[in-house]
Amino acid sequence: MASPNDLHFQEFEEAAELLSADPKASTLSMSASDTPATAGGGEDVKLDLSEDEEGQEESSELLGGQKPTGGFWTFEYYESFFNVDTVQVLDRVKGSVLPLPGKNFIKHYLRSNPDLYGPFWICVTLVFSVAISGNLSTFLSEMGNPAYHYRPQFHRVTIAAVVIFMYAWLVPIGLWGFLTWRQGAERQIGGYSFLETVCVYGYSLFIYIPTSVLWIIPFEWLRWTLILVAMMISGSVLVLTFWPVVRDDTKVMAVATVVTIVVLHTLLAIGCKMYFFQTAIHVPTLIPHSSTPSTYITLATKPH
């Protein structure tokens, strides 16, 4: 049996020819240690895999979705908030209109990758749909009034933008701050990040876009029915998402938090309905009758 010292690597002719043809080709070097092996009597073999390990680390970062970002003053920092594709956005929109018991929106749809692309365009679309549909609703309700002259009410776009964007940002900020405070007071309370909270609120408003378009139909019973359906769907998304976080808090605090979320969501829907979709009530004008008796004048001709 050959001893370990007799085992040597030999350079084959094909390998030599390949290296001579391409001197820049990467090679794998194997070096034998001078220290003798302790157990098997052989020699330690060390592989120089530094470049391969660096390549594996870079690929693992890409597969893990961890991208180096700069400071908050750089464009790359905000670009990561819009790093979603159409399939992800449509899947999250579908989840916001079809809430199912036991399905947390953040856990099942965001999957630690919240975005601002969907919430931003949902809010922008909702602003214009509410303002334009409100103008059309006013025009249709006043069509039978001869004294009405249509004038585009562009100020409604500004009012809708202020109300919707303030709700989509200020309410999540307040809720996130409250949950963070409760998380510090009660150790068992969990929480979501600020971006996740904003993302949930943004996607929960999508159901109001088709609802505001259907509000053009001038039937009050249909409008209130649509409001109830939209509030139930949108409110369910918020309740199913935040209830697992607050349920470990005290019973009074948990119920009060959920009720506050639902009440604020209800006020937004009812406020938009009452301001932008007012039903015009036509009061018939009565022509006043004179109480004085009519005077008849008789003209007589004199004979000549």
Side-chain angles (χ1 to χ4, degrees):
M1 183 175 180
S3 62
N5 295 325
D6 296 336
L7 298 177
H8 299 285
F9 290 100
Q10 298 180 356
E11 183 178 354
F12 295 94
E13 296 179 357
E14 296 180 357
E17 294 177 357
L18 293 174
L19 290 175
S20 62
D22 189 5
K24 296 182 179 180
S26 60
T27 59
L28 179 64
S29 62
M30 302 177 67
S31 60
S33 175
D34 294 336
T35 57
T38 55
E43 296 181 351
D44 295 337
V45 179
K46 295 183 179 180
L47 300 180
D48 187 8
L49 300 178
S50 58
E51 295 182 359
D52 294 342
E53 291 176 355
E54 292 177 359
Q56 290 178 359
E57 290 179 358
E58 293 178 358
S59 62
S60 63
E61 289 181 358
L62 292 176
L63 293 176
Q66 298 176 356
K67 298 181 298 181
T69 56
F72 66 92
W73 60 88
T74 61
F75 179 76
E76 289 78 9
Y77 178 82
Y78 298 97
E79 186 180 7
S80 61
F81 298 151
F82 296 84
N83 187 20
V84 288
D85 53 19
T86 306
V87 176
Q88 290 177 323
V89 173
L90 292 178
D91 185 56
R92 294 172 183 183
V93 169
K94 179 182 177 182
S96 67
V97 298
L98 295 174
L100 298 176
K103 259 195 172 183
N104 190 318
F105 186 85
I106 292 179
K107 302 297 183 182
H108 288 80
Y109 296 101
L110 299 187
R111 299 186 185 94
S112 300
N113 185 28
D115 69 285
L116 293 180
Y117 179 85
F120 173 77
W121 286 111
I122 287 174
C123 291
V124 171
T125 307
L126 182 59
V127 166
F128 285 98
S129 65
V130 168
I132 295 174
S133 299
N135 277 327
L136 291 177
S137 175
T138 303
F139 173 75
L140 293 176
S141 62
E142 295 283 357
M143 283 185 63
N145 185 8
Y148 174 73
H149 299 283
Y150 175 74
R151 288 179 299 176
Q153 299 175 341
F154 294 106
H155 67 280
R156 290 189 172 186
V157 178
T158 305
I159 296 175
V162 171
V163 172
I164 292 173
F165 275 95
M166 285 183 62
Y167 175 82
W169 280 95
L170 294 183
V171 174
I173 289 175
L175 180 60
W176 171 76
F178 174 77
L179 293 179
T180 303
W181 170 67
R182 293 302 299 172
Q183 187 178 5
E186 301 288 339
R187 296 297 180 182
Q188 69 272 17
I189 303 300
Y192 301 126
S193 66
F194 170 70
L195 191 59
E196 289 174 339
T197 306
V198 173
C199 190
V200 173
Y201 266 86
Y203 279 103
S204 68
L205 295 176
F206 177 81
I207 189 62
Y208 289 111
I209 296 176
T211 302
S212 62
V213 176
L214 294 176
W215 279 344
I216 299 176
I217 303 174
F219 295 106
E220 282 298 306
W221 63 269
L222 180 60
R223 290 176 178 176
W224 286 108
T225 303
L226 292 173
I227 287 178
L228 293 177
V229 174
M231 286 191 305
M232 290 180 61
I233 294 175
S234 186
S236 298
V237 175
L238 298 177
V239 172
L240 293 175
T241 300
F242 291 102
W243 174 249
V245 177
V246 301
R247 64 184 175 185
D248 293 330
D249 202 346
T250 60
K251 186 176 181 180
V252 176
M253 192 64 66
V255 174
T257 303
V258 174
V259 170
T260 303
I261 293 173
V262 175
V263 168
L264 292 177
H265 212 62
T266 304
L267 289 177
L268 175 68
I270 296 179
C272 290
K273 161 65 178 64
M274 299 298 294
Y275 181 80
F276 295 98
F277 299 90
Q278 298 177 358
T279 303
I281 301 176
H282 301 288
V283 178
T285 57
L286 300 177
I287 301 176
H289 297 281
S290 178
S291 59
T292 58
S294 300
T295 304
Y296 297 95
I297 299 175
T298 305
L299 297 178
T301 57
K302 294 182 179 181
H304 294 282

